[in-house]
Amino acid sequence: MKKLFIETLGCAMNSRDSEHIIAQLREKDNYETTDDLKDADLILINTCSVREKPVSKLFSELGIFNKKKKVDAKIGVCGCTASHLGDEIIKRAPYVNFVLGARNVSKISEVLHKDKAVEVDINYDESEFAFDDFRTSTYKAFINISMGCDKSCTYCIVPKTRGDEISIPIDLIIREASRAVDGGAKEIFLLGQNVNNYGRRFSGDREKVNFTKLLQELSKIKELQRIRFTSPHPFHMDDEFIEEFAKNPKICKSMHMPLQSGSTKVLKDMKRGYSKEWFLNRVKKLRQECPDVSISTDVIVAFPGESDEDFEDTLDVINQVRFNQIFSFKYSPRPQTQAEHFTNTVDADIASTRLTRLQNIHTDILDEINATSLGKTYRVYFENLIQDYYVSGRSDENIVIKVKGSDELLGEFRDVKITSIGRTILTGEIVA
Ligand code: SAH
Ligand code: SF4
Ligand code: F3S
């Protein structure tokens, strides 16, 4: 068998795309994966372009790979940066053999055999193609439910790298989920840029099915125990969706609610489609229906035009909601976005100060939240072996918990009582 070295950057959708690429290469071209770059016959980087840093690192990394690789090994660039830079990549790094966009992953075998191929059509419709069953984890299955994004948030490059939004037919999703469950996964993780906008558009003539209905249908898979999903959009969090989330026992009680900014003015400039009040109202409804829910979010600080007062509004939302997890970033101007042309940029020092302040406030909140977990018992689904005879997993609320144990626990559920608290992982002992 030939050897494939693949590096995956970016979000869970990229991870799922990499699984599909690995499976296709295994089936059609007799490849197996290796962790040793020098041993590889094919080197792939599955890239992300959501912020500038990873993109600027791409070319230096390609240079290093080119130096270290076997003489006749091929190099391919896949994913979102492939989509937005296209043949520019081969112009800047002529030793790259092919470029494969995020919307074209099923064409991996074709591009492999055509030197200097560039397949980056963002309108290419893969929504009717079944993704392969190969998965890196036996216990949890990532499943795409839609491709692309129809929103036009002014800071975001994703609609330009993954194209218009199109939903994957429900029968394909159910089949994929059933197969994963038959293969031992007790948890599925549904993926899309706007999962709760599912059903907005299907390829061909298909009956309209919304996200709530999709969740209900998936819950009927008998051996399936847990359903997670990312990302829902706050704008589409209607009462029906929140009520289904709260009452469906298979849906994990952890919700990602990407805030981006707490200022209604900035949200308007970002074209997010909701206000500070709407966001807080949805959190209130969610907590009314589901008091134990944990909520995570994404925040961008120092978006062009963000004043001190706007930033205080973001901190106000953070203090009111007390998120369980925050992914926070400094605004990074991206090509082909509307905000790229905004001139009212925020000073770099101010941006750094704001990010640090936000992160410190969140850390204090998180320490207080974590402290309340001591002595509590959570139902944990074990997924990973970690060093020193520990096994880790997640609670329904998505808290990462480890216990002393061995691989016998993998894929199993246990009740775990928390005995000590860390910032990113709690430690406990099995009680049942
Ligand atoms: N569809 C998801 C977001 C996908 S991108 C949603 O709507 O929430 C993941 C995260 O990257 C975003 O939530 C945002 O916080 C961040 N991000 C996107 N573009 C960015 C940019 N130009 N600068 C900084 N962060 C950005
Ligand atoms: Fe980007 Fe907005 Fe689409 Fe999310 S909803 S992927 S932030 S354009
Ligand atoms: Fe990055 Fe593309 Fe995902 S830009 S965050 S890999 S959708």
Side-chain angles (χ1 to χ4, degrees), residues 135 137-143 176-189 221-226 381 411 413:
R135 297 175 191 286
S137 165
T138 333
Y139 313 109
K140 172 162 72 188
F142 285 127
I143 298 178
E176 192 178 336
S178 306
R179 286 220 198 118
V181 171
D182 288 345
K186 292 176 184 154
E187 179 175 314
I188 58 170
F189 207 125
I221 301 175
K222 212 165 153 253
E223 302 299 323
L224 175 65
Q225 311 229 16
R226 283 185 170 182
Y381 180 48
F413 286 88

Side-chain angles (χ1 to χ4, degrees), residues 69-89:
K69 75 177 179 70
K70 283 203 299 206
V71 184
D72 53 353
K74 289 184 179 178
I75 299 184
V77 177
C78 312
C80 285
T81 308
S83 307
H84 100 264
L85 291 182
D87 54 7
E88 174 80 26
I89 296 179

Side-chain angles (χ1 to χ4, degrees), residues 207-414:
E207 189 199 337
K208 291 265 178 254
V209 181
N210 70 10
F211 188 53
T212 307
K213 176 83 178 152
L214 174 67
L215 291 171
Q216 289 165 346
E217 291 301 314
L218 285 167
S219 311
K220 292 180 186 161
I221 301 175
K222 212 165 153 253
E223 302 299 323
L224 175 65
Q225 311 229 16
R226 283 185 170 182
I227 303 175
R228 298 186 192 273
F229 49 81
T230 201
S231 291
H233 195 295
F235 176 78
H236 297 290
M237 291 192 177
D238 54 24
D239 287 356
E240 182 200 63
F241 164 68
I242 292 178
E243 284 158 16
E244 176 66 24
F245 175 87
K247 73 168 188 252
N248 184 329
K250 290 197 178 178
I251 300 178
C252 289
K253 300 304 175 251
S254 134
M255 183 78 92
H256 188 61
M257 289 185 71
L259 170 68
Q260 313 302 0
S261 168
S263 150
T264 298
K265 178 193 157 286
V266 174
L267 286 168
K268 210 163 173 207
D269 293 344
M270 290 175 163
K271 294 212 177 135
R272 285 292 287 176
Y274 53 86
S275 60
K276 175 184 182 184
E277 290 67 34
W278 168 262
F279 188 92
L280 289 172
N281 169 283
R282 294 296 80 193
V283 172
K284 190 170 162 204
K285 169 79 182 165
L286 182 61
R287 289 214 163 118
Q288 258 166 15
E289 299 291 331
C290 190
D292 292 332
V293 66
S294 74
I295 307 178
S296 58
T297 198
D298 290 350
V299 176
I300 299 176
V301 302
F303 184 75
E306 185 188 75
S307 66
D308 287 340
E309 293 74 40
D310 292 323
F311 179 62
E312 291 302 325
D313 268 333
T314 299
L315 296 183
D316 183 41
V317 175
I318 288 172
N319 282 317
Q320 285 195 52
V321 177
R322 296 171 64 80
F323 294 101
N324 298 76
Q325 195 174 16
I326 302 185
F327 301 94
S328 50
F329 317 95
K330 270 190 261 182
Y331 167 69
S332 165
R334 307 305 299 126
Q336 302 173 44
T337 60
Q338 292 172 54
E340 184 196 5
H341 308 291
F342 294 179
T343 48
N344 46 352
T345 49
V346 174
D347 180 88
D349 290 340
I350 296 180
S352 300
T353 312
R354 285 184 188 164
L355 186 66
T356 310
R357 218 178 127 206
L358 182 153
Q359 290 175 341
N360 288 342
I361 289 175
H362 171 62
T363 306
D364 290 346
I365 293 173
L366 192 62
D367 286 346
E368 287 168 22
I369 294 174
N370 280 343
T372 65
S373 294
L374 198 64
K376 273 196 192 156
T377 299
Y378 296 95
R379 189 90 181 137
V380 178
Y381 180 48
F382 289 102
E383 296 165 62
N384 293 310
L385 263 184
I386 48 180
Q387 78 285 14
D388 301 331
Y389 310 103
Y390 277 96
V391 183
S392 73
R394 286 172 191 268
S395 72
D396 194 292
E397 308 83 348
N398 212 21
I399 303 172
V400 183
I401 296 172
K402 66 174 181 179
V403 298
K404 278 245 189 266
S406 68
D407 53 4
E408 282 162 23
L409 280 173
L410 295 177
E412 297 292 323
F413 286 88
R414 293 284 186 278

